[in-house]
């Protein structure tokens, strides 16, 4: 896989999908999902100007990103995988955006640790389990409004948007549509949805972050 070519192709597809949807391409940010890949495989993307990257494990990210961030201070790291409460402090030291706020105990721990920070807090998105799959993380759609309200009112967290990972074996549009509906009625502007196989559809349905891995970096 040629990473620079993969990245250019994904960028071109995003621009086209925006045009088709009548959207400003500046409103869709590409999160290049670099999980499982070593720094040297990621470098061509950095050299091609990509600055927003996604990782799904705190431990793995801790191993490869601090050195890269030192060289490229404008890199922005997004956590797109589940966050255990005992990893919150490490996550806050590493990630600028966390897409996976999904339960009360995590919201409470984030609030406590964010209060101790001496740097800007991360931007936060709530993960919704739109397919209500038992094995998948995320708040149930029916509980989302109440959870958003608790995050804001009780925990004083500045929630910016919502994220979902639709079930593998279902059409994605109803899931993206549901996420957009929940976000709209709660006044949340960021929608993290769409992966390598479906980011064009996600853009048509309002995605503001698309999380694309294998289409850039190759198969994992
Ligand atoms: C791995 C991953 C992606 C990227 O998936 P691709 O199909 O490789 O684009 C996006 N979102 C999440 C939450 C992931 O874990």
């Amino acid at each position: 896989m040629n990473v620079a070519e993969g990245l250019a192709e994904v960028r071109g597809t995003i621009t086209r999908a925006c045009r088709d949807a009548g959207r400003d391409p500046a409103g869709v940010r590409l999160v290049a999902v670099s999980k499982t890949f070593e720094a040297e495989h990621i470098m061509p993307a950095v050299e091609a100007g990509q600055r927003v990257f996604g990782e799904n494990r705190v431990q793995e990210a801790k191993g490869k990103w601090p050195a890269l961030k030192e060289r490229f201070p404008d890199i922005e790291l997004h956590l797109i995988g589940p966050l255990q409460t005992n990893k919150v402090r490490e996550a806050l030291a590493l990630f600028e955006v966390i897409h996976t706020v999904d339960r009360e105990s995590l919201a409470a721990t984030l609030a406590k640790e964010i209060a101790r920070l001496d740097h800007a807090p991360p931007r936060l998105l709530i993960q919704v389990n739109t397919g209500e799959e038992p094995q998948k993380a995320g708040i149930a759609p029916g509980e989302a409004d109440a959870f958003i309200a608790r995050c804001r009112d009780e925990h004083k967290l500045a929630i910016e948007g919502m994220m979902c990972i639709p079930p593998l074996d279902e059409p994605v549009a109803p899931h993206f549509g549901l996420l957009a509906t929940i976000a709209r009625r709660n006044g949340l502007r960021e929608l993290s949805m769409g992966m390598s196989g479906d980011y064009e559809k996600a853009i048509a349905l309002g995605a503001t972050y698309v999380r694309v891995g294998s289409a850039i970096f190759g198969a994992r």
Side-chain angles (χ1 to χ4, degrees):
M1 185 82 183
N2 182 313
V3 170
E5 276 171 29
L7 178 64
E9 196 168 314
V10 169
R11 284 176 172 164
T13 304
I14 290 173
T15 305
R16 256 194 326 278
C18 286
R19 201 176 49 218
D20 291 349
R23 298 186 55 193
D24 178 355
V28 178
R29 275 133 316 147
L30 170 60
V31 181
V33 177
S34 50
K35 66 188 186 197
T36 76
F37 292 106
E38 307 279 343
E40 63 186 43
H41 193 81
I42 301 168
M43 263 317 282
V46 178
E47 277 160 0
Q50 181 67 26
R51 288 296 181 271
V52 180
F53 290 89
E55 290 282 342
N56 67 337
R57 290 173 198 273
V58 175
Q59 222 50 38
E60 183 187 338
K62 207 178 151 188
K64 61 186 173 187
W65 282 101
L68 283 167
K69 283 180 119 186
E70 199 151 303
R71 285 174 64 195
F72 302 91
D74 54 342
I75 279 176
E76 183 179 286
L77 208 54
H78 291 230
L79 179 64
I80 60 168
L83 178 55
Q84 295 167 257
T85 49
N86 63 2
K87 296 267 171 65
V88 163
R89 197 171 293 181
E90 285 175 299
L92 290 175
L94 265 175
F95 293 96
E96 277 73 30
V97 187
I98 295 173
H99 292 228
T100 50
V101 182
D102 64 352
R103 60 195 191 281
E104 190 65 37
S105 59
L106 177 56
T109 306
L110 278 166
K112 193 176 81 195
E113 294 294 334
I114 283 172
R116 301 167 22 116
L117 288 180
D118 58 2
H119 58 87
R123 282 127 62 196
L124 301 174
L125 282 72
I126 288 174
Q127 182 175 357
V128 182
N129 187 357
T130 57
E132 306 198 51
E133 297 172 278
Q135 82 285 7
K136 202 167 267 177
I139 196 92
E143 292 166 17
D145 292 357
F147 183 61
I148 294 164
R150 278 199 308 279
C151 285
R152 286 169 161 168
D153 303 338
E154 280 175 39
H155 302 298
K156 313 291 179 205
L157 294 173
I159 303 295
E160 292 197 341
M162 325 221 64
M163 177 272 223
C164 75
I165 310 170
L168 271 177
D169 52 356
E170 287 182 29
V172 291
H175 296 276
F176 294 159
L178 174 59
L179 195 73
T181 301
I182 296 171
R184 197 177 317 116
R185 74 170 174 244
N186 286 283
L188 296 172
R189 72 172 184 278
E190 304 289 0
L191 285 174
S192 168
M193 55 193 202
M195 309 178 18
S196 290
D198 52 28
Y199 63 98
E200 294 167 77
K201 286 192 190 107
I203 288 169
L205 291 165
T208 62
Y209 289 116
V210 290
R211 311 178 308 266
V212 180
S214 48
I216 298 170
F217 296 108
R220 290 181 293 272

